[in-house]
Amino acid sequence: VDENTRVGNLFFLYTVQANGMTNIRAVPAEQIEEIISKDNDIEQEVKYTKDPTGEDFWEAYDPQQEQTAFMLHFASDQPVGSAWGEGSLAPILVWIGRFATWLEDRVRLNHFRSVFMYVVRGQFVNDTAKKNRQKELNANPPQPGSILVTDPSEDWGILSANLDAFDASVDGMAIKKMIAAGVGFPLHYLAEPEGSTQTTADAAGTPTFRTLEETQDELFDMLIEMAH
């Protein structure tokens, strides 16, 4: 189910041994170069090539033949006229990427808001004396919680970034809503309750349960066909 959610295509390779034992192994979709179908019907798949030349391939299941090895292909969310399926994550990957970028930007912003450096102003005899004082402070910088004693000739201050960062929670919620709409889950599945009542949560979960039930039915039909 996880693989089907990611890529929308499941390829199962059957290997029939001499004693009648049949081994079934899942083949990653990325190992399939092309799906070859009959000219008059794209749904009647013939073979699955392993390389661009098409010389190396797996045969599709043919009930009219005795096969010691063959492959079954199950596709989800197929576009019309295509033998390939589409993963359920495909429409929302761009929004997951945007949410990750937004979150990373917020973390960086909060980091730089707390970064500062000391500024020491004073009356120095010459430029050499100023550089020597700077080297001394760089070699022994003030530690957090320490007591700093200076004379009237020095004025200490702090220089920090003035980042006027607005509250971005609305933006984050908008992106989360796009992700939730794409996957078909209510927001409280993503730790963002839209309402505080159980009735609201139950109403939001009803279409989700229907979608999950359809996914289960699809898996059961797949297992039945594989067993046959």
Side-chain angles (χ1 to χ4, degrees):
V1 173
D2 292 340
E3 180 73 4
N4 191 40
T5 302
R6 285 189 290 265
V7 299
N9 294 277
L10 295 177
F11 296 91
F12 292 102
L13 180 62
Y14 282 66
T15 305
V16 184
Q17 300 180 10
N19 61 0
M21 177 70 69
T22 302
N23 295 327
I24 306 175
R25 296 290 182 268
V27 177
E30 63 181 7
Q31 294 186 13
I32 307 299
E33 181 70 21
E34 185 180 2
I35 300 175
I36 307 298
S37 304
K38 290 187 176 181
D39 295 336
N40 62 338
D41 187 5
I42 197 173
E43 294 293 336
Q44 297 186 41
E45 299 172 359
V46 178
K47 61 182 180 180
Y48 311 93
T49 62
K50 304 180 184 180
D51 53 24
T53 63
E55 296 179 359
D56 194 8
F57 59 88
W58 286 293
E59 289 186 354
Y61 172 65
D62 186 354
Q64 306 299 327
Q65 298 182 12
E66 291 289 338
Q67 297 171 288
T68 57
F70 58 88
M71 178 171 282
L72 283 182
H73 172 221
F74 298 95
S76 299
D77 299 330
Q78 279 179 287
V80 175
S82 173
W84 292 89
E86 184 180 60
S88 302
L89 285 179
I92 61 174
L93 283 177
V94 60
W95 289 104
I96 293 177
R98 287 168 179 168
F99 184 78
T101 302
W102 170 84
L103 190 60
E104 184 177 354
D105 290 342
R106 297 302 300 179
V107 172
R108 287 179 176 176
L109 188 60
N110 289 330
H111 168 72
F112 287 114
R113 287 168 66 178
S114 60
V115 173
F116 66 91
M117 64 179 179
Y118 290 104
V119 178
V120 180
R121 300 178 180 87
Q123 299 293 332
F124 299 100
V125 178
N126 50 40
D127 189 60
T128 302
K130 183 179 70 172
K131 292 182 178 180
N132 290 336
R133 179 56 173 159
Q134 184 174 355
K135 290 180 180 179
E136 180 183 358
L137 294 177
N138 287 332
N140 301 282
Q143 299 298 322
S146 61
I147 299 176
L148 184 64
V149 180
T150 63
D151 55 53
S153 63
E154 286 186 348
D155 179 23
W156 284 65
I158 293 177
L159 182 63
S160 60
N162 184 18
L163 301 177
D164 296 329
F166 60 91
D167 185 8
S169 59
V170 177
D171 293 341
M173 178 63 69
I175 299 177
K176 267 195 172 184
K177 285 183 177 180
M178 290 296 295
I179 296 174
V183 77
F185 287 170
L187 276 178
H188 67 266
Y189 276 34
L190 305 179
E192 291 287 355
E194 290 185 280
S196 57
T197 64
Q198 183 177 354
T199 304
T200 303
D202 291 342
T206 301
T208 304
F209 297 150
R210 189 178 302 127
T211 301
L212 295 175
E213 186 176 358
E214 290 176 355
T215 303
Q216 292 175 338
D217 292 340
E218 182 181 358
L219 176 63
F220 295 153
D221 292 340
M222 191 185 308
L223 293 175
I224 292 172
E225 184 174 346
M226 291 174 63
H228 283 304

